[in-house]
Amino acid sequence: MEQIVASIITGVLAFVGVVITNLTANRRIENKLEHNQAVADTKIDELTREVREHNNFARRMPVVEEQIKVINHRINDLEEASKK
């Protein structure tokens, strides 16, 4: 009878040890996941900012190109006028 009680106590203590170990490991994993998610969110925010900046630049470039064409035409007209 004592052996059965000792076996049951040993089994219960082993089970409690396994449960505590698993809970601790899960908490560590959750903390690492939260940290990694925060890093990923920060990187995504930075990439989003860079994409918006690039898109703004891409929208302005055709306007700048058109202005350069106008300036080049004016320079050509001035050069022709100065030759006369």
Side-chain angles (χ1 to χ4, degrees):
M1 181 70 173
E2 291 177 13
Q3 292 175 347
I4 294 174
V5 172
S7 297
I8 290 173
I9 291 172
T10 302
V12 168
L13 291 175
F15 178 74
V16 169
V18 168
V19 168
I20 291 172
T21 302
N22 284 339
L23 289 175
T24 304
N26 285 342
R27 284 189 191 119
R28 286 183 187 154
I29 290 171
E30 285 177 6
N31 287 339
K32 285 182 182 179
L33 287 174
E34 287 175 7
H35 173 74
N36 289 343
Q37 185 63 46
V39 169
D41 289 345
T42 301
K43 288 181 179 182
I44 288 171
D45 289 343
E46 178 63 18
L47 286 173
T48 300
R49 185 193 63 78
E50 289 178 9
V51 166
R52 286 184 180 143
E53 186 176 309
H54 176 269
N55 287 345
N56 187 32
F57 176 76
R59 274 192 293 271
R60 291 188 331 221
M61 273 315 291
V63 173
V64 172
E65 289 171 347
E66 187 60 35
Q67 290 173 344
I68 289 172
K69 285 180 186 177
V70 170
I71 291 169
N72 283 335
H73 284 298
R74 288 183 180 174
I75 290 172
N76 287 338
D77 291 344
L78 291 172
E79 287 175 346
E80 289 178 14
S82 68
K83 288 180 184 177
K84 292 181 181 177

